[in-house]
Amino acid sequence: MSDLRITHIGGPTALIEVGGWRLLTDPTFDPPGQRYTFGWGTSSRKRAGPAITVAELPPIDAVLLSHDHHGDNLDRAGRDVLGTARTVLTTPAGARRLGRNARGLAPWTGTRLQAPGRPTIDVTATPARHGPPLSRPLTGQVTGFALTWEGQQHGALWISGDTVLHGGLRHVADRLSVGTALLHLGGVRFPINGPIRYTMTAAQAVDLCRLLRPHTAIPVHYEGWHHFHEGREAIERRIAAAPADIRNRFHWLPTGTPTRISS
């Protein structure tokens, strides 16, 4: 089986390359400085651009889109990328809005990526909740993704999507053996909502890794936007205080550089 390579492009956006497949998560390629609204009086400004431009991307086989309705997960330039991919996997509501090549997956349903000369990748949607209990009517549908293929040594590649720690993620730990976890962190919050968080904090990520026991945990979605309230330094402090068995599972990817991951 070919090596797994992951390139963190910025924010939630990562290029996953394995066995000839090129998969892209949550495309965000706009330049910094623009402001985006998220509904219900919330907005944010983008602080940093991507480490790789759209023009520098290789051909994309599939986009794994946690949700389509927030600009920090799918921005204007990112929408142009969707049309170039063979398949876009996302939530059922997102697929209805996007149409074209988008396919909606409800939690714990799946599909297969197949092509001659390449390994078959099974993709399973996993639960995500983009805020506190009962917030889904406001925050909309969000999904994570678990990817499995023949030859994985440590378990599935799992992308959390934008989510807080909740019962659905605990079910992920019960149902999946996770080798590599891409964790959307940042502790997202907005002044209008006070202390309410809309993505995992570092403390929640540590607690989740106690349950998941992934071989490798990779933070993404922690920088580049004004509403991300836990950057790398804060996350590193919390991880440093965790037991060594948990602390040593976390690895940071240099943005823009393909990194080999033991799968």
Side-chain angles (χ1 to χ4, degrees):
M1 179 66 194
S2 300
D3 289 337
L4 169 66
R5 297 197 311 170
I6 301 178
T7 305
H8 185 201
I9 295 172
T13 311
L15 175 64
I16 299 166
E17 298 176 278
V18 61
W21 291 101
R22 296 185 180 99
L23 315 175
L24 188 70
T25 67
D26 288 6
T28 55
F29 289 93
D30 283 356
Q34 301 182 60
R35 179 170 291 278
Y36 302 78
T37 60
F38 297 94
W40 297 89
T42 60
S43 67
S44 183
R45 188 175 298 278
K46 191 172 186 179
R47 289 176 165 173
I52 295 174
T53 67
V54 170
E56 294 171 316
L57 284 176
I60 300 301
D61 296 298
V63 172
L64 306 174
L65 180 60
S66 69
H67 56 302
D68 69 302
H69 51 283
H70 291 157
D72 58 332
N73 295 84
L74 180 66
D75 59 19
R76 298 178 184 100
R79 288 182 179 273
D80 293 335
V81 176
L82 299 187
T84 68
R86 291 169 52 192
T87 303
V88 177
L89 302 179
T90 189
T91 65
R96 288 193 293 270
R97 285 188 291 264
L98 294 171
R100 299 183 299 175
N101 56 346
R103 186 185 312 172
L105 297 176
W108 298 118
T109 65
T111 189
R112 283 185 164 178
L113 301 177
Q114 295 176 302
R118 299 182 188 179
T120 296
I121 298 180
D122 287 306
V123 182
T124 302
T126 59
R129 195 184 75 203
H130 201 356
L134 306 179
S135 64
R136 187 165 286 115
L138 302 180
T139 59
Q141 291 182 1
V142 182
T143 189
F145 299 97
L147 280 60
T148 58
W149 57 83
E150 187 176 355
Q152 286 175 318
Q153 295 180 336
H154 304 296
L157 168 60
W158 178 60
I159 302 129
S160 72
D162 280 14
T163 184
V164 297
L165 182 59
H166 69 294
L169 295 195
R170 296 182 177 92
H171 291 158
V172 171
D174 292 337
R175 296 179 64 160
L176 292 177
S177 174
V178 176
T180 301
L182 291 182
L183 302 178
H184 288 215
L185 304 184
V188 164
R189 62 184 176 87
F190 299 93
I192 194 172
N193 301 126
I196 294 174
R197 304 283 181 162
Y198 293 92
T199 59
M200 278 189 283
T201 63
Q204 288 181 330
V206 168
D207 289 343
L208 178 60
C209 283
R210 288 194 179 101
L211 298 174
L212 286 177
R213 317 298 288 187
H215 182 266
T216 304
I218 299 172
V220 297
H221 194 278
Y222 59 83
E223 41 66 48
W225 288 79
H226 184 70
H227 62 303
F228 292 2
H229 282 266
E230 276 195 345
R232 178 165 175 169
E233 289 186 7
I235 296 169
E236 284 182 326
R237 286 196 298 270
R238 182 62 186 86
I239 292 172
D245 180 51
I246 300 299
R247 182 173 66 243
N248 294 337
R249 298 173 190 269
F250 282 86
H251 296 273
W252 299 87
L253 300 187
T255 54
T257 302
T259 303
R260 295 185 184 277
I261 306 295
S262 176
S263 63

